[in-house]
Amino acid sequence: MDVHDRSGIAVIIPTFNEAAIITACLARLAAYDIAQIVVCDGGSTDETARLAATHPKVTVIHAKLGRGSQLRAGVAASSAPLLLLLHADTCLPMSADKRIRQALADPSVAAGCFRLRFASDRFSLTAWAWFSRFETSLTSFGDQAFFMRRSSLEAAGGIADWPLLEDVDVRHRLRKIGRFVKLQPAVTTSARRFERVGVLRCQLRNALIIAAFRLGVPPTRLARYYRATET
């Protein structure tokens, strides 16, 4: 599909040292009708950028490390009217492209995401993912593949240049200009962070970060805490 087609989708993928999974991620996207794929790399020291550049439709750009700044750069480097912000370790459901177009065909809808499933059989993660069927500030995050019209994102002020919580912020601003919908097919995302840090510890940390953010703690400060608790 041509990038200038009104239903053309640009997929924006922020990466940092994802050589182990980027090839599979990009290969999966061949199943969908996508106009553009922009991999915005945050300075990987492995083969991520080189591997990504070998795939058709992929444009690799380099940006300051941080999901917010990488996504901003990726959006700026794309031109299709519909945007899909995808984490490298997240797999889309079948017909995701058609479902996105159908959702955004409704002029009252500004953006949306999918329900969540983890690539793990841990009961705690399965239970947590069950709640993702609801569209709330506690159950809709960036690993659920946010999608939106480019015009809606521009009207909302774009993506904040933050190292953390840019998804929480942009969802909040998009909801001010239109509906944010939750599509019931689930994306499947890696449980690697939960497995590395510990499920309970990771969930408690995330809840603490969200609470602190709502109390006014700057994302840069929260990002330092996040990095310090990653091991």
Side-chain angles (χ1 to χ4, degrees), residues 10-229:
V11 180
I12 314 299
I13 307 173
T15 57
F16 180 69
N17 288 344
E18 298 286 18
I21 63 173
I22 191 62
T23 297
C25 169
L26 296 173
R28 289 192 297 267
L29 292 178
Y32 306 96
D33 185 6
I34 291 168
Q36 293 175 291
I37 302 172
V38 179
V39 171
C40 32
D41 192 67
S44 295
T45 56
D46 63 7
E47 294 291 289
T48 299
R50 185 189 67 78
L51 291 170
T54 65
H55 287 259
K57 289 189 179 179
V58 172
T59 299
V60 177
I61 66 169
H62 300 276
K64 180 180 70 176
L65 180 62
R67 189 163 281 148
S69 56
Q70 289 173 249
L71 288 172
R72 282 173 62 91
V75 169
S78 66
S79 56
L82 307 183
L83 300 168
L84 172 60
L85 312 182
L86 183 67
H87 293 188
D89 61 355
T90 294
C91 304
L92 296 170
M94 290 181 60
S95 302
D97 51 342
K98 296 181 179 64
R99 295 177 187 276
I100 289 170
R101 291 188 178 98
Q102 289 170 358
L104 294 177
D106 183 342
S108 71
V109 174
C113 68
F114 293 86
R115 191 163 55 86
L116 180 66
R117 179 186 297 117
F118 288 102
S120 169
D121 57 3
R122 289 175 180 260
F123 174 76
S124 55
L125 290 178
T126 300
W128 176 256
W130 185 87
F131 288 97
S132 72
R133 69 191 60 217
F134 305 110
E135 208 301 286
T136 74
S137 61
L138 297 176
T139 57
S140 301
F141 296 101
D143 55 1
Q144 292 165 244
F146 281 14
F147 57 85
M148 64 210 68
R149 296 188 196 85
R150 181 181 298 275
S151 58
S152 296
L153 182 61
E154 291 172 350
I159 298 171
D161 187 6
W162 293 352
L164 195 70
L165 299 173
E166 85 295 330
D167 52 348
V168 174
D169 174 67
V170 76
R171 173 189 168 275
H172 174 72
R173 287 186 285 109
L174 284 163
R175 289 182 76 247
K176 291 183 177 181
I177 64 171
R179 293 168 55 214
F180 191 99
V181 298
K182 178 68 65 74
L183 302 187
Q184 290 307 300
V187 297
T188 302
T189 194
S190 169
R192 57 184 176 173
R193 182 168 293 111
F194 289 91
E195 292 168 347
R196 182 173 66 248
V197 177
V199 175
L200 180 59
R201 181 184 175 192
C202 196
Q203 289 175 330
L204 289 174
R205 178 195 63 181
N206 293 348
L208 178 62
I209 287 173
I210 293 293
F213 175 65
R214 289 180 171 175
L215 290 172
V217 179
T220 50
R221 182 176 174 186
L222 292 172
R224 291 194 294 270
Y225 167 72
Y226 179 87
R227 289 191 293 269
T229 57

